[in-house]
Amino acid sequence: MISIPPEQYADLTKDSSAAYMLNLIDVACLQLDVNHVILYGNKKAASLFQLEMIGLNAWDFFDKSACPEAFRAIHKAVFENTSGNTEYFCGYSQAWISLQTIPSEDGVVLMFTDITEMTNIKLEMLEEQHRLKLAQELGNIGYFEGLSETDTLYLSDGVYRIYGHSPQEKPFNLELLFSYFHPDDRLLARQTFESQLRKKCFFEQSYRMLTTQSDPRVIHLKMEFLLDINTGLTRFYGVIQDLTLQHQTKLKLKESKELIASVFEASLLGVSLLKPVRNLSGKIIDFRIEMISRELKREVQRDDLIGKFYLVEYPGVKPSGLFDLMLKVMDTSRAQQTEYYYDYDGFNEWFSSMIIKIGDALLVTTININSRKLAEQEQLKNLMILQQSETLAKIGSWEYDLSSKAFSWSEGMYHLFNLDKEVSPVPEIYLQYVTVNYISVAEKIIELLKTGETGFEETIEILVDDIPKVLKIKASIHRDQNGKPLKVLGVDIDMTMQVELFKKNELLKKEVFMAILETQQAERKRIAENLHNGLGQLLYGVKLSLSKNMISQRNLLPAAQLKELQDTDDLLGDAIRESRRLSHELMPAILEDFGLKAALDDICNQFQQAILIHTVYSGLEIKRDKFIEISIYRVVQELIMNVVKHAEATKIILTINVHEDVIHIQVNDNGKGFDQDLTSNNGIGLRAIRNKASLLNGCMAINSVIGKGTVISVLIPNVLS
């Protein structure tokens, strides 16, 4: 640029072709003289700085504290005669500026270029990189890529974390990447990779691996292959997700299912699960057999009924009236119990059935009452197949700028809330969608988000289009070099499916347990009444008849025959007392008539001749759910029976404490004790109590010392939930 004296500046701005050209370019130009005074500025400079600068001292305009970068660059050009280029944020124009300084003999030329748009693009790219990194970290996802025939791989920080390394701790190649796989999976994984590399086909598969700390993990690997036109080699891309938590959840569900199946199979009841088959108009025309217990298989002498149609296999259920009763239960949802003589399909026996609707299915319990087989254990079967998706979790990421208060969402967040991208979210949006029970949690999230005090992990329930969703919200804090919080970065994960599956599983366990317990109680009551009113009355009548004959024949028969009649009379008395005892044990009327405490005292009184029993009760005076009371009664009955049969003890201390949330039952004996490793998992009685406690969402603990006695504790919830 040409330096022009001030007195000629007016003429220059009007006539000079150089000035005319400078006013046309999209670069702001200023010229300083040797005294640092601004001599000239083109139109772009006046527009950029929105100030008449001609005649101003450069140091007044480019203040050191306001724009230190510009001050240093101009200072260097003026005093060191050195050209320079720098970028800074201009407070006058609220824009990012690229400044070029050019020294000359008459002063310094300054050229300013507005780079705001380009700078914003760079900042947005950095923010997207931060979001992607956070989503990978919180979603347990990692990324890697490489070229065939080369040795080095690029790994994201997420892959290093999954493998148990610090981010970018050391270089990786394919051999090292696959070396962490489980030995049984390693060869298959490598062969699959080589095969798909040749075919250039996408593949995905789950594998087991061990981290560098030897921690077992389950990962899901997705890979695709593309030809690199620059090198002629094949470039491969891979995503690894850590599915260890999901895998562990599936194992726990499997264990629960196996526990239910073991109780189901051990039951003395015949149980079947029937799914309705409907025609096009929705009318039920048959039932498909979904599950059947081992006892029922034994009873019907068939083990091929799964998947068969009930009416096709047993057409007699229709003329017997049983099919109509099943339809009634499906229609009214009210359980039905019936006793019927079934002389169809090769059967000629009496049966007792309880029919209960569970969801869109029937649970039918069947007992052959000719053989008087009683159900001793609860039975349960998981009636729903829980499938857990192995695809990537639904994740939405977000960030909250603590200085600007800007709350920005990724596309995934808009999908979670079913909102258009035009909507500008604010932290309070959680309060707009949250359900009543989670308002306090939403308020806590908003407070932590706005203050940036600490990261957090919370779970809330929201309503999106009147459909409930469960979100797990994780957040971390991004800080500057001095530790000052700058942004809150987070993700929202949709956990609705996992929560629903868990709730359905728990509800199903409770419903099936209630059904089995109710069936057992009904059958116990019926058999007890038959013993008392049938066999008991018959024995009593025989005893009265015998006593009458003994009185009338006393003087006519020899003493030896009279003694035989008297012995027979005594045996009949013992039989009557035994039938009453069995009737009372099957269905103690005292439990319904006088309550739990009286029933427990009655159990103790029955065994007092065999063993000394000391009782300590707390909280039994409050009436509670009948299923809870029956369960407490049966558990105590089984525990004391086990001590009497096996412990060789002389004393028992029975302690029952009923608290607000839990019921604690403890039996302490001074018997011979036993080896827990050999006995606790094999004894039928203890196993029945343990399974009963599990079905009640409770637990059992055993502490036994050989030669010193045993303490058995059972904890069950105070409510059936």
Side-chain angles (χ1 to χ4, degrees):
M1 179 182 292
I2 301 173
S3 178
I4 301 175
E7 61 270 16
Q8 299 179 13
Y9 177 74
D11 294 334
L12 174 65
T13 56
K14 295 179 181 178
D15 303 321
S16 171
S17 60
Y20 176 76
M21 293 177 62
L22 289 173
N23 283 330
L24 292 179
I25 65 175
D26 196 29
V27 177
C29 297
L30 294 179
Q31 183 177 10
L32 311 183
D33 64 12
V34 293
N35 296 317
H36 323 139
V37 175
I38 301 175
L39 294 180
Y40 171 75
N42 66 353
K43 289 183 178 180
K44 183 63 178 180
S47 172
L48 178 64
F49 297 108
Q50 300 179 0
L51 183 67
E52 180 58 47
M53 298 166 290
I54 307 303
L56 294 179
N57 189 288
W59 309 124
D60 293 334
F61 185 70
F62 296 103
D63 182 73
K64 182 177 181 179
S65 60
C67 45
E69 298 89 350
F71 176 85
R72 284 193 294 270
I74 298 171
H75 189 277
K76 192 172 183 179
V78 169
F79 294 103
E80 300 179 18
N81 199 32
T82 304
S83 299
N85 200 331
T86 188
E87 295 179 0
Y88 72 98
F89 184 76
C90 179
Y92 292 103
S93 58
Q94 292 294 302
W96 283 93
I97 302 296
S98 174
L99 168 61
Q100 185 176 6
T101 57
I102 307 171
S104 68
E105 295 179 357
D106 301 323
V108 175
V109 176
L110 307 178
M111 302 181 70
F112 303 85
T113 304
D114 188 341
I115 59 170
T116 302
E117 183 176 355
M118 182 168 52
T119 303
N120 286 338
I121 292 174
K122 290 180 181 179
L123 292 175
E124 288 177 3
M125 291 179 63
L126 288 174
E127 289 179 356
E128 287 300 321
Q129 290 175 359
H130 283 307
R131 288 180 182 175
L132 177 60
K133 183 178 179 181
L134 178 65
Q136 290 181 356
E137 180 179 344
L138 296 179
N140 293 324
I141 301 171
Y143 165 83
F144 68 91
E145 66 175 82
L147 278 171
S148 62
E149 302 180 17
T150 61
D151 196 46
T152 304
L153 295 178
Y154 165 75
L155 272 66
S156 70
D157 292 348
V159 176
Y160 280 95
R161 292 190 182 93
I162 291 173
Y163 274 58
H165 289 288
S166 300
Q168 309 304 322
E169 180 179 326
K170 63 178 182 179
F172 262 72
N173 57 24
L174 278 174
E175 286 299 326
L176 184 58
L177 188 77
F178 286 116
S179 69
Y180 286 82
F181 282 32
H182 190 280
D184 294 340
D185 295 352
R186 189 180 304 148
L187 180 60
L188 175 62
R190 189 57 190 262
Q191 289 176 344
T192 303
F193 170 80
E194 297 293 345
S195 172
Q196 301 307 103
L197 175 63
R198 290 192 296 271
K199 299 176 183 177
K200 296 181 179 57
C201 293
F202 168 88
F203 81 92
E204 62 176 305
Q205 185 62 47
S206 294
Y207 299 101
R208 296 166 295 171
M209 65 163 289
L210 295 174
T211 68
T212 188
Q213 293 83 19
S214 299
D215 293 330
R217 291 189 180 179
V218 177
I219 62 170
H220 191 68
L221 173 66
K222 288 186 177 181
M223 293 199 68
E224 62 179 17
F225 305 87
L226 296 174
L227 181 64
D228 191 318
I229 59 176
N230 295 323
T231 63
L233 302 177
T234 301
R235 182 171 292 278
F236 51 85
Y237 306 86
V239 175
I240 294 177
Q241 183 181 18
D242 187 352
L243 297 179
T244 306
L245 181 60
Q246 295 92 319
H247 181 71
Q248 291 172 346
T249 301
K250 290 176 66 177
L251 288 179
K252 290 181 180 178
L253 289 175
K254 181 181 178 183
E255 291 174 359
S256 175
K257 183 177 179 180
E258 289 175 350
L259 170 63
I260 296 169
S262 67
V263 177
F264 189 96
E265 290 299 315
S267 174
L268 297 179
L269 291 175
V271 186
S272 58
L273 179 67
L274 310 177
K275 281 276 190 177
V277 178
R278 296 180 171 88
N279 60 16
L280 294 178
S281 63
K283 181 180 178 181
I284 297 176
I285 58 175
D286 205 340
F287 288 89
R288 187 175 61 252
I289 302 172
E290 293 289 324
M291 302 190 77
I292 184 170
S293 71
R294 183 171 57 188
E295 176 60 23
L296 193 54
K297 291 179 185 178
R298 187 202 62 77
E299 180 65 42
V300 300
Q301 297 183 0
R302 290 186 62 181
D303 58 2
D304 62 340
L305 291 174
I306 303 297
K308 299 293 181 66
F309 293 104
Y310 201 44
L311 275 179
V312 173
E313 301 301 319
Y314 299 103
V317 297
K318 212 159 192 177
S320 69
L322 190 61
F323 188 77
D324 292 336
L325 192 62
M326 293 161 65
L327 294 179
K328 180 179 180 181
V329 173
M330 288 295 297
D331 184 50
T332 64
S333 298
R334 296 181 62 180
Q336 297 288 336
Q337 184 178 11
T338 182
E339 292 185 0
Y340 54 95
Y341 184 74
Y342 197 82
D343 57 351
Y344 307 95
D345 310 319
F347 295 94
N348 291 285
E349 296 178 290
W350 280 92
F351 293 91
S352 174
S353 290
M354 173 74 80
I355 307 172
I356 300 170
K357 183 180 180 183
I358 298 179
D360 190 35
L362 288 181
L363 181 73
V364 182
T365 60
T366 304
I367 304 173
N368 185 327
I369 57 178
N370 285 337
S371 60
R372 305 290 182 190
K373 288 192 180 261
L374 303 177
E376 294 290 339
Q377 298 179 338
E378 299 78 11
Q379 48 191 313
L380 183 62
K381 187 67 179 177
N382 189 347
L383 305 176
M384 302 182 69
I385 300 175
L386 304 180
Q387 297 179 341
Q388 189 160 8
S389 174
E390 295 184 352
T391 58
L392 295 177
K394 296 180 180 179
I395 296 177
S397 61
W398 51 264
E399 73 170 43
Y400 181 75
D401 192 303
L402 293 169
S403 59
S404 66
K405 313 300 181 187
F407 191 37
S408 55
W409 278 7
S410 70
E411 186 173 350
M413 287 292 294
Y414 287 97
H415 287 313
L416 287 178
F417 284 79
N418 196 23
L419 290 174
D420 295 330
K421 286 187 177 181
E422 290 75 18
V423 176
S424 298
V426 293
E428 287 75 13
I429 195 169
Y430 289 110
L431 282 176
Q432 299 174 22
Y433 284 82
V434 73
T435 58
V436 175
N437 294 334
Y438 289 87
I439 290 178
S440 61
V441 181
E443 291 174 342
K444 177 183 176 182
I445 291 172
I446 294 170
E447 177 68 19
L448 291 174
L449 193 152
K450 287 186 172 182
T451 60
E453 293 179 358
T454 180
F456 58 86
E457 180 175 336
E458 298 289 344
T459 300
I460 64 171
E461 183 183 63
I462 62 173
L463 284 178
V464 178
D465 298 332
D466 295 327
I467 298 175
K469 281 187 178 181
V470 178
L471 297 183
K472 177 176 283 187
I473 303 173
K474 298 182 179 180
S476 62
I477 309 301
H478 175 62
R479 304 178 185 272
D480 62 15
Q481 295 179 348
N482 299 320
K484 178 183 177 182
L486 299 177
K487 295 180 180 180
V488 183
L489 308 176
V491 295
D492 287 15
I493 305 173
D494 189 347
M495 302 292 290
T496 308
M497 181 178 294
Q498 294 89 323
V499 173
E500 284 298 319
L501 289 175
F502 179 78
K503 288 182 178 179
K504 288 180 179 179
N505 186 53
E506 292 300 310
L507 180 60
L508 186 60
K509 286 170 62 178
K510 175 184 173 181
E511 289 179 343
V512 175
F513 171 70
M514 293 299 187
I516 293 173
L517 188 58
E518 187 173 346
T519 303
Q520 288 179 331
Q521 288 301 115
E523 187 61 18
R524 285 175 182 268
K525 183 176 181 180
R526 192 194 61 75
I527 294 174
E529 290 175 350
N530 286 348
L531 281 174
H532 183 271
N533 299 329
L535 178 61
Q537 295 297 328
L538 179 61
L539 291 174
Y540 189 70
V542 173
K543 188 176 187 305
L544 287 177
S545 177
L546 180 61
S547 298
K548 182 178 179 181
N549 287 332
M550 286 173 60
I551 293 172
S552 62
Q553 300 292 327
R554 183 177 300 275
N555 298 324
L556 301 176
L557 294 175
Q561 291 186 13
L562 285 175
K563 185 178 185 306
E564 290 179 359
L565 290 176
Q566 184 61 50
D567 291 342
T568 302
D569 184 71
D570 293 340
L571 289 174
L572 283 172
D574 292 340
I576 292 171
R577 285 189 293 273
E578 181 64 15
S579 68
R580 289 177 178 174
R581 186 191 67 79
L582 290 174
S583 173
H584 181 77
E585 183 177 306
L586 284 169
M587 193 63 198
I590 192 172
L591 180 59
E592 294 185 3
D593 296 339
F594 299 99
L596 180 59
K597 183 178 182 302
L600 293 175
D601 289 340
D602 186 61
I603 293 176
C604 297
N605 291 334
Q606 294 177 36
F607 292 101
Q608 283 291 4
Q609 293 182 353
I611 194 170
L612 178 62
I613 302 177
H614 177 68
T615 60
V616 180
Y617 300 147
S618 173
L620 290 184
E621 62 278 0
I622 300 175
K623 186 71 175 177
R624 63 202 76 256
D625 191 286
K626 71 172 183 177
F627 293 106
I628 288 286
E629 292 193 344
I630 291 171
S631 299
I632 295 173
Y633 181 87
R634 295 301 179 196
V635 167
V636 171
Q637 188 179 50
E638 187 69 35
L639 286 172
I640 294 178
M641 183 70 72
N642 274 339
V643 173
V644 172
K645 285 183 176 180
H646 307 296
E648 299 179 10
T650 60
K651 182 179 179 181
I652 292 176
I653 300 176
L654 170 63
T655 304
I656 302 178
N657 292 320
V658 179
H659 303 284
E660 183 177 354
D661 299 322
V662 70
I663 298 171
H664 181 200
I665 304 170
Q666 179 173 293
V667 171
N668 187 342
D669 70 67
N670 62 348
K672 63 182 181 180
F674 58 88
D675 188 331
Q676 294 177 226
D677 294 334
L678 298 177
T679 308
S680 59
N681 294 324
N682 299 322
I684 295 176
L686 292 179
R687 186 171 59 199
I689 298 171
R690 190 185 300 276
N691 288 339
K692 187 187 294 291
S694 296
L695 291 173
L696 290 167
N697 292 327
C699 60
M700 183 180 78
I702 302 174
N703 183 14
S704 184
V705 178
I706 295 178
K708 294 186 178 181
T710 302
V711 178
I712 300 179
S713 296
V714 178
L715 291 175
I716 58 176
N718 199 3
V719 292
L720 291 177
S721 59

